[in-house]
Amino acid sequence: MEKGNYEIIRFLDWEVVKLIPHVEKYTAGKRSVFRHWHTGIEILYFLGGDSTLWINGKEIHIKEEGIVLVNSNEPHQLIRYETDQARGCTIIISYEYIKMLYRKVDQCYFALDKQHPSFEKLKWYMKEVLSVYQRKSRNEFYYIKLNNIVNEIIYLLLTDFRIENGEMKTQKYGERYRAIIQFIEEHYRENLKMEELADRFHFSKEYFSRSFKKYMGVNFKDYLTKRRLLEAEQLLLTTDMQISEIALESGFIDIKMFYVVFKKEYGSTPNIYRKEKSMK
């Protein structure tokens, strides 16, 4: 990631899509992804597992097979993927490629309708995408087939799931909170106060508190704590830093409180958590 929670997705010259198999990403110990956004249109296809996503202020629950679409520049997060055998895939389609095919895409919003006859067709295409990718080692030209399927997916999105000028109010609200999320990402290690953030973005303290919880699904304090804990977890697993150093580096001034919130979140103390993970 670059510049806070804005994610840069780089496509090779011949690529129109990035594909991420869930079995490779979520069985490696990482069951969640923090809030971020990117220009590409993202489609998540779940074949199993009880999953919870947060997209632009709303929580979405997926059980067993399901498809979720994330529009360009929509803040989103995979909160939980409860399975030891993650199955399915995520594709991120190049926004520049879609815009080359349809110049008015900036004025569009895509929304999946499960009742639409094309929804089952979209599901079938996602299965094909995963199947082609899984056989790539046996076919050096797999990406040609993959790109063809993605073109069919783009066609479905434009013809059957496109809303012209739709959700503009929601998008504008999302833009405001992208700036807020990014500011938190850049300053969560500091002694960040809700009052200061509200003042910076020209909100009253009361309105900021209400709107933050409404949009983010969690209050400001809990969100900030969660972000700091994710940083602490990464430092625990990737460095030899002392626990007290990790706590301070992650933004926790009170070391005792760090132990309390860490154990509440991960079910064990930082020391035990580090030992258990290093043994796997």
Side-chain angles (χ1 to χ4, degrees):
M1 287 193 184
E2 298 179 21
K3 198 176 181 181
N5 273 17
Y6 177 77
E7 186 174 7
I8 305 294
I9 308 294
R10 303 192 186 283
F11 293 85
L12 300 177
D13 291 340
W14 50 266
E15 288 182 317
V16 301
V17 64
K18 291 287 187 183
L19 189 147
I20 307 166
H22 293 172
V23 70
E24 294 179 10
K25 190 174 184 67
Y26 302 115
T27 55
K30 190 175 183 182
R31 301 290 181 83
S32 64
V33 175
F34 210 67
R35 285 165 197 185
H36 64 286
W37 62 91
H38 41 68
T39 57
I41 291 177
E42 183 169 330
I43 303 177
L44 300 97
Y45 175 51
F46 297 92
L47 276 169
D50 187 353
S51 308
T52 302
L53 299 97
W54 178 93
I55 301 175
N56 212 12
K58 298 179 181 179
E59 280 199 6
I60 299 173
H61 300 280
I62 301 292
K63 291 187 176 182
E64 299 178 350
E65 187 176 16
I67 299 179
V68 177
L69 184 144
V70 181
N71 279 274
S72 176
N73 285 325
E74 274 192 323
H76 57 285
Q77 174 189 9
L78 178 58
I79 299 175
R80 185 174 60 255
Y81 201 155
E82 295 292 351
T83 178
D84 291 327
Q85 294 297 324
R87 294 182 296 123
C89 66
T90 293
I91 64 171
I92 302 174
I93 306 173
S94 166
Y95 194 74
E96 289 71 22
Y97 181 70
I98 298 177
K99 191 167 185 178
M100 181 186 72
L101 298 175
Y102 184 63
R103 293 184 179 180
K104 295 182 180 180
V105 70
D106 291 335
Q107 304 170 24
C108 297
Y109 185 86
F110 299 104
L112 300 184
D113 179 2
K114 294 181 180 180
Q115 305 305 316
H116 196 287
S118 292
F119 186 78
E120 289 301 316
K121 190 180 293 186
L122 176 62
K123 191 184 296 184
W124 185 86
Y125 281 136
M126 289 300 295
K127 287 181 181 178
E128 283 295 293
V129 162
L130 184 57
S131 177
V132 170
Y133 183 84
Q134 290 172 337
R135 300 195 305 268
K136 68 175 185 176
S137 62
R138 301 196 297 269
N139 184 356
E140 63 177 313
F141 301 111
Y142 80 95
Y143 62 90
I144 298 175
K145 179 69 172 178
L146 190 62
N147 288 352
N148 285 338
I149 300 172
V150 170
N151 278 328
E152 295 290 346
I153 290 174
I154 295 171
Y155 177 79
L156 284 185
L157 294 180
L158 290 172
T159 57
D160 297 329
F161 300 108
R162 183 181 87 248
I163 301 175
E164 296 286 354
N165 298 315
E167 299 287 340
M168 287 302 176
K169 183 177 180 181
T170 301
Q171 290 184 45
K172 186 176 181 180
Y173 199 57
E175 288 173 5
R176 179 180 296 179
Y177 265 88
R178 280 198 296 275
I180 293 172
I181 294 170
Q182 183 168 310
F183 186 84
I184 294 173
E185 180 68 17
E186 294 171 349
H187 299 276
Y188 68 85
R189 297 179 181 88
E190 304 168 15
N191 187 21
L192 195 59
K193 301 291 186 182
M194 185 179 71
E195 295 85 348
E196 297 171 359
L197 205 58
D199 183 63
R200 181 180 183 85
F201 288 94
H202 310 293
F203 292 121
S204 69
K205 177 183 174 182
E206 294 74 19
Y207 180 80
F208 181 81
S209 178
R210 291 196 307 271
S211 66
F212 191 95
K213 186 170 184 179
K214 180 179 179 181
Y215 182 77
M216 304 296 284
V218 64
N219 64 45
F220 171 77
K221 182 180 178 181
D222 289 344
Y223 180 86
L224 184 59
T225 298
K226 175 69 173 179
R227 184 61 189 94
R228 288 169 172 168
L229 283 172
L230 286 174
E231 175 67 11
E233 181 191 22
Q234 289 301 305
L235 292 176
L236 274 171
L237 301 180
T238 60
T239 74
D240 295 323
M241 293 171 64
Q242 297 293 320
I243 303 301
S244 58
E245 294 176 323
I246 288 175
L248 293 173
E249 179 66 21
S250 304
F252 292 98
I253 298 174
D254 188 331
I255 308 301
K256 290 183 178 179
M257 182 55 65
F258 169 63
Y259 273 87
V260 171
V261 295
F262 189 94
K263 187 172 183 179
K264 182 179 179 181
E265 178 70 20
Y266 296 100
S268 62
T269 65
N271 287 305
I272 294 175
Y273 186 84
R274 173 184 264 174
K275 290 179 181 177
E276 289 177 345
K277 292 295 182 179
S278 64
M279 292 172 64
K280 293 182 178 181

